């Protein structure tokens, strides 16, 4: 159960509707009891997180190009017409030709191949997944990090609140840890770290935790600095 002193830590899960109902109800009762320094800070954290997530959702929404649908239909219709006079022995090939034609467009036309392939999950898909889970931890340099993740979507959303930017010439680097070692999950320089910072981390695979290190330059192929924070990712 969330305690009053833990309100700030609970702000991000609260904003993402990732708290159990009893904890959310308890927080709502504290908020309705009157404004305090803690509740005001909590409200600001919640607002910042929701604004960041709204921006992220808007930036990841995409529409397929208008030219895609008519081109696919034209190819399918043309090849279906070519096979309309086929014998019974060969008629089964018509739908396969149509599928092959559509696939060929995706592979040959610039930009269309990317659209035909499944895009990486969005933050909203992670939040609405039936197996969504949340873990929050403190960053020693200040602030908190929350990971909302789904094994079904194989993706996590990282939200950092009030984390101090890394020192000039260094970056925060995230690492997905599993039994085989670690793989880089991206870096954040000082310009990328804001009062509320969000990033999508794809390809969780069998990772059991997300670790943070401070690396020089633009990052490292393997961790060189000590792990400053590590959040467990339960299966």
């Amino acid at each position: 159960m969330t305690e009053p002193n833990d309100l700030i830590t609970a702000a991000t899960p609260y904003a993402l509707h990732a708290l159990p109902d009893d904890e959310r109800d308890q927080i709502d009762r504290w908020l309705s009891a009157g404004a305090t320094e803690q509740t005001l800070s909590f409200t600001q954290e919640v607002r910042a997180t929701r604004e960041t997530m709204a921006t992220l959702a808007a930036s990841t929404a995409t529409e397929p190009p208008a030219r895609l649908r008519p081109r696919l239909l034209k190819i399918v219709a043309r090849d279906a017409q070519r096979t309309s006079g086929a014998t019974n022995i060969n008629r089964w090939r018509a739908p396969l030709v149509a599928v092959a034609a559509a696939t060929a467009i995706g592979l040959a036309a610039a930009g269309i191949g990317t659209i035909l392939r499944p895009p990486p999950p969005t933050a909203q898909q992670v939040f609405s997944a039936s197996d969504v889970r949340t873990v929050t931890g403190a960053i020693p340099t200040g602030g908190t990090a929350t990971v909302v993740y789904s094994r079904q979507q194989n993706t996590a959303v990282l939200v950092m609140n009030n984390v101090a930017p890394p020192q000039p010439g260094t970056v925060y680097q995230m690492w997905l840890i599993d039994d085989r070692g670690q793989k880089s999950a991206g870096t954040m320089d000082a310009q990328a770290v804001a009062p509320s910072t969000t990033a999508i981390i794809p390809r969780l695979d069998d990772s059991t935790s997300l670790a943070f290190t401070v690396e020089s330059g633009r990052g490292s192929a393997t961790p060189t600095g000590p792990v400053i924070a590590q959040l467990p990712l339960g299966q």
Side-chain angles (χ1 to χ4, degrees):
M1 179 66 67
T2 302
E3 298 296 332
N5 291 335
D6 297 329
L7 269 180
I8 295 300
T9 302
T12 298
Y14 181 94
L16 301 178
H17 302 282
L19 287 175
D21 289 341
D22 57 343
E23 290 195 37
R24 188 175 185 85
D25 291 343
Q26 179 64 65
I27 290 175
D28 288 339
R29 286 193 291 271
W30 286 331
L31 296 177
S32 63
T36 66
E37 183 178 349
Q38 287 180 323
T39 58
L40 289 175
S41 297
F42 173 86
T43 301
Q44 291 173 353
E45 291 285 344
V46 170
R47 182 184 301 112
T49 298
R50 288 176 174 169
E51 289 175 351
T52 300
M53 296 313 301
T55 301
L56 177 65
S59 66
T60 56
T62 59
E63 290 288 343
R67 67 181 184 275
L68 177 60
R69 185 174 184 273
R71 291 185 65 180
L72 285 177
L73 291 178
K74 183 177 180 180
I75 292 293
V76 171
R78 183 189 66 195
D79 286 287
Q81 184 177 11
R82 287 178 180 176
T83 57
S84 60
T87 64
N88 290 335
I89 296 176
N90 293 326
R91 191 165 296 164
W92 62 271
R93 300 175 64 184
L96 296 183
V97 171
V99 172
T103 304
I105 292 178
L107 295 177
I112 295 182
T114 301
I115 297 169
L116 292 180
R117 290 195 297 269
T122 64
Q124 185 57 46
Q125 287 174 305
V126 174
F127 298 155
S128 61
S130 60
D131 67 333
V132 64
R133 303 183 68 174
T134 303
V135 58
T136 299
I139 302 296
T141 56
T144 60
T146 297
V147 178
V148 183
Y149 64 99
S150 164
R151 294 292 179 180
Q152 291 177 358
Q153 298 292 338
N154 199 29
T155 301
V157 179
L158 170 66
V159 181
M160 300 195 308
N161 280 327
N162 293 325
V163 173
Q167 295 297 315
T170 67
V171 294
Y172 290 132
Q173 188 157 359
M174 287 73 70
W175 307 90
L176 288 170
I177 312 295
D178 60 23
D179 293 339
R180 297 179 295 276
Q182 65 282 316
K183 64 180 180 182
S184 176
T187 62
M188 292 183 181
D189 59 15
Q191 293 181 340
V193 178
S196 186
T197 306
T198 306
I200 292 181
I201 301 176
R203 297 176 56 195
L204 293 183
D205 298 331
D206 296 326
S207 302
T208 57
S209 64
L210 178 70
F212 299 78
T213 63
V214 177
E215 304 293 339
S216 60
R218 297 183 178 180
S220 173
T222 58
T224 62
V227 173
I228 62 172
Q230 189 162 345
L231 300 177
L233 303 177
Q235 297 294 328

